[in-house]
Amino acid sequence: MTAGTDMSLDSREVPLGGVRGIEVHRTLPQRGLPTVGAWCFVDHFGPIDSRLNVLPHPHTGLQTVTWPLAGNIRHRDSLGSDVVLTPGELNLMTSGGGVSHSEVSVGDTSAKMHGLQLWVALPEDRRAGPAGFEHHADLPMVEGSGWTGTLMMGELAGSESPATTHSPLVGAELRLRPGRAKIPLRPDFEHAILAVDGEALVGSTEIVHRQMRYLAPGRPDVTVHVPAATTLLLIGGAPFQDELVMWWNFIGRSHDDIAADRADWEASAERFGQVQGHDGKIIPAPPMPGVRLTPRRRTMA
Ligand code: MN
């Protein structure tokens, strides 16, 4: 492990779910920083009055971590799951070698929506394994100096989440009281803190709303100051060694992995199954780019 450098990461705006879909604020991956631990994707949406309507689409090589802060999301997948997710609860879908799912708002009218969707890259020995789905409605409440939190994944402040992980990592929603908070970290992990609402002084660096602060390995804690009650996302993990090729909803290790995933989705291959309740409607894969896909390399941290 080389000594890394802390840095601030801006979000970029990405349309999700077609032209009438909502816009998300993406802070991971970044050019030069594909992962924080095995976390490889961080999307923050809302708060916005809208409806989520994401038709069936496939995944490979990853876990999807869905965490609403406002609004309800109905999840259906090719394993037969049909779950309404509400704030404070976690949906964790493990694609293994192939799964498909849909995510739609409950009801026919717009409502306040706010939330996070994250992906965790699966390690080499698990990425072609079986698919799975977990809905966790009773996650550990954790607390420390100046903060309380809900532990989504991994271990924090003496508690352990029941959610299944495949590499050493942590993910938590932290709610800070105005003033100073001390957040425990694992020295062997790299971490990142996202300002989900408000702003925060992380160490001596201010991050504004939707910005992320990357924290290199080697520290037992970080001090955060907030001027008002503020919600933060904490993610972290052991630096992920595999070089990932990420394209659309797939994570592989090579261009050919992705090309095979895409071809199988377009051919309705059995490994992606079917999501009931959408009259056969799906999201088709976009065309492959005209160049060979290459791994995202870490050059920043
Ligand atoms: Mn998805």
Side-chain angles (χ1 to χ4, degrees):
M1 193 185 306
T2 55
T5 314
D6 297 351
M7 65 188 112
S8 297
L9 306 170
D10 292 331
S11 67
R12 60 189 186 281
E13 319 321 314
V14 181
L16 179 76
V19 283
R20 300 195 64 191
I22 64 171
E23 189 173 71
V24 299
H25 309 273
R26 185 165 298 163
T27 41
L28 207 66
Q30 294 271 343
R31 183 179 296 275
L33 184 70
T35 49
V36 174
W39 299 96
C40 59
F41 195 85
V42 175
D43 270 1
H44 178 197
F45 58 87
I48 187 174
D49 278 316
S50 188
R51 276 200 85 247
L52 194 66
N53 187 25
V54 183
L55 289 170
H57 60 279
H59 288 291
T60 58
L62 59 88
Q63 292 177 297
T64 61
V65 174
T66 308
W67 186 256
L69 294 140
N72 297 337
I73 299 170
R74 183 179 180 186
H75 162 99
R76 281 168 281 185
D77 64 37
S78 52
L79 304 166
S81 314
D82 186 349
V83 167
V84 173
L85 181 66
T86 62
E89 302 179 352
L90 169 69
N91 271 5
L92 176 65
M93 186 178 73
T94 302
S95 75
V99 75
S100 57
H101 73 146
S102 66
E103 290 174 301
V104 302
S105 295
V106 175
D108 297 325
T109 55
S110 291
K112 187 184 175 191
M113 295 189 51
H114 188 201
L116 298 158
Q117 190 169 64
L118 310 118
W119 293 357
V120 176
L122 289 170
E124 182 62 29
D125 64 357
R126 188 59 181 76
R127 70 186 183 96
F133 175 76
E134 300 169 20
H135 174 229
H136 293 286
D138 192 17
L139 291 166
M141 296 294 148
V142 287
E143 61 182 344
S145 172
W147 62 276
T148 60
T150 309
L151 182 56
M152 299 152 56
M153 307 271 287
E155 296 175 27
L156 186 68
S159 291
E160 182 174 1
S161 166
T164 301
T165 57
H166 299 282
S167 62
L169 58 81
V170 66
E173 178 194 311
L174 305 181
R175 297 173 292 275
L176 274 60
R177 295 186 285 276
R180 176 181 182 277
K182 194 174 192 180
I183 316 295
L185 304 176
R186 264 179 63 163
D188 56 330
F189 279 12
E190 55 185 353
H191 295 83
I193 290 174
L194 175 69
V196 174
D197 61 12
E199 59 199 20
L201 196 63
V202 181
S204 55
T205 304
E206 182 175 296
I207 53 170
V208 299
H209 183 213
R210 302 193 194 285
Q211 259 190 330
M212 179 179 267
R213 183 72 180 163
Y214 171 84
L215 301 169
R219 51 158 58 89
D221 53 52
V222 63
T223 299
V224 180
H225 289 85
V226 290
T230 301
T231 300
L232 306 176
L233 170 73
L234 172 70
I235 56 172
F240 197 75
Q241 301 301 335
D242 298 11
E243 288 193 337
L244 305 175
V245 177
M246 289 178 64
W247 181 81
W248 195 44
N249 291 306
F250 304 131
I251 297 182
R253 300 296 184 274
S254 69
H255 176 94
D256 293 342
D257 285 350
I258 300 297
D261 289 345
R262 183 188 181 282
D264 277 359
W265 175 244
E266 292 300 289
S268 304
E270 200 172 327
R271 66 169 157 140
F272 293 117
Q274 286 194 337
V275 184
Q276 299 303 313
H278 297 282
D279 299 326
K281 289 200 285 281
I282 60 159
I283 301 178
M288 290 286 285
V291 296
R292 282 187 72 78
L293 299 165
T294 54
R296 293 168 183 266
R297 294 223 158 81
R298 177 178 290 239
T299 57
M300 276 166 41

